[in-house]
Amino acid sequence: MDIPIKNLYYLLSYAWNKLEYRNKMKLNEDDFNSLADLFARVFDNLLGILIKRGLDKNYIEKNEKIRGIKGKINFNKTIKSLSHLDRKFYCEFDEFSSDIISNQIIKATLKVLLRSKVNKELKKSLKRKLLSLSEISDIELSNIHFRKTVIDKNNSYYQFIIQVCKLINDNTTLDEEIGNKVFKEFFGTDKQFAALFESFVLNFYKKHLSRKTYKVKGSEVINWDMDEDRNELFPIMRTDITVEKSDKKTIIDTKFYKDIFSYNYEKPKFHSNNLYQIYAYIKNYKNEKNKTVEGILLYPTTKQDIDSNHTIGGHNFRLMTVNLNQEWRNIERDLISIID
């Protein structure tokens, strides 16, 4: 999908709920020549903010041969090596250090970007920041490291840069010429982009719809409208997004396909599974407050614009696209108009 790189950055800012960084990045049109340049610039700016604030530290367990005694002595190893004759001992101790896994991820990502096709000025800036990470160990970055990373209220300012590191890591490939990983000119799998688009739409509505007028929720469960209580064998119906006001409830299911149509004998058809799914949501929703209930299947596109309105079984639903290949203010306008 050919999304303008600047729009992609705005979309990520919403999806990751980090709009406050959008103005801090100081990005201009020259920064958007390629995806590698975009993410390198974002990473570079975030790392600059992090270094000024100070790298996060924590206690790490060390086992080293040192002069003197610190922590717990490993007598067996010390005696076998005869190091005690030189007044050196193998000791096990905790040290308060910045050489923790989150900083190791950041350093490894920085080195990936230095090997990638990034403009010269960005590489100079990244190399300068590498000096601030001299005490951080080098690792061969993998998804295991991200699973081990703990983000809590004490280091929440790390969340955005770790998310950027994860995205870069998910989109690296082995360069056979240099024998190492580099960032590739490609953005995400279909599954990744589908999740990203859902988060973007949800957070966009949370940001732009008045909380006094609308209630915006993600992942709301709709129970099956059935007489019997034993429904454990039935699949859970969980919506992507619901937007509710006093007289109306809108259930939005976001989807992503390279082509929003399937084809039967070369004739375009809406994806049947999507239709069954949104209709099941509307039909089973228990409308206790007598509200108008509608369903929307929302697809991202960069080519064809569709707004198809239908009534089935007394329920209204729409199949719609939002064009991501236009000025960002127009994207905002189109998303607001869907609800209004």
Side-chain angles (χ1 to χ4, degrees), residues 29 59 86 131 146 163 177 188 193 198-199 204 265 282 285 334 339:
E29 294 297 334
Y59 287 99
D86 196 27
L131 298 174
F146 291 97
Q163 286 173 317
E177 289 186 10
F193 191 84
E198 178 186 333
S199 297
F204 178 89
Y265 297 103
I282 300 170
Y285 173 69
D334 290 349
I339 301 300

Side-chain angles (χ1 to χ4, degrees), residues 16 45 69 80 84 108 135 150 158 178-179 182 186 219 226 266 279 299:
W16 288 340
N45 286 340
I69 297 173
K80 281 185 176 180
H84 60 288
E135 296 182 2
V150 177
Y158 264 71
I178 64 174
V182 297
F186 170 76
S219 192
M226 55 196 305
E266 299 185 355
Y279 185 69
Y299 302 84

Side-chain angles (χ1 to χ4, degrees), residues 151-201:
I151 304 293
D152 55 32
K153 63 180 180 180
N154 295 319
N155 66 348
S156 58
Y157 53 94
Y158 264 71
Q159 184 182 28
F160 194 11
I161 193 168
I162 293 298
Q163 286 173 317
V164 172
C165 290
K166 180 69 167 64
L167 187 145
I168 291 171
N169 181 64
D170 287 344
N171 292 282
T172 58
T173 187
L174 183 66
D175 188 318
E176 294 182 358
E177 289 186 10
I178 64 174
N180 222 321
K181 289 182 177 180
V182 297
F183 186 78
K184 58 186 177 182
E185 282 294 312
F186 170 76
F187 178 72
T189 63
D190 289 358
K191 187 176 180 180
Q192 284 176 320
F193 191 84
L196 177 67
F197 182 64
E198 178 186 333
S199 297
F200 156 61
V201 176

Side-chain angles (χ1 to χ4, degrees), residues 233-245:
L233 297 178
F234 283 72
I236 296 174
M237 290 188 290
R238 194 183 299 275
T239 66
D240 290 345
I241 303 158
T242 56
V243 179
E244 190 169 357
K245 59 180 181 177

Side-chain angles (χ1 to χ4, degrees), residues 52-97:
K52 286 181 182 178
R53 178 167 185 158
L55 297 176
D56 189 25
K57 293 184 177 183
N58 209 334
Y59 287 99
I60 59 174
E61 187 178 300
K62 305 203 84 173
N63 191 333
E64 294 180 356
K65 183 172 72 172
I66 60 173
R67 185 172 295 279
I69 297 173
K70 187 176 182 180
K72 181 181 177 181
I73 302 174
N74 186 328
F75 285 102
N76 189 39
K77 199 170 183 179
T78 299
I79 292 170
K80 281 185 176 180
S81 67
L82 302 178
S83 62
H84 60 288
L85 300 178
D86 196 27
R87 296 182 181 179
K88 292 183 178 180
F89 300 85
Y90 281 93
C91 296
E92 299 171 3
F93 57 93
D94 289 335
E95 184 174 88
F96 196 59
S97 171

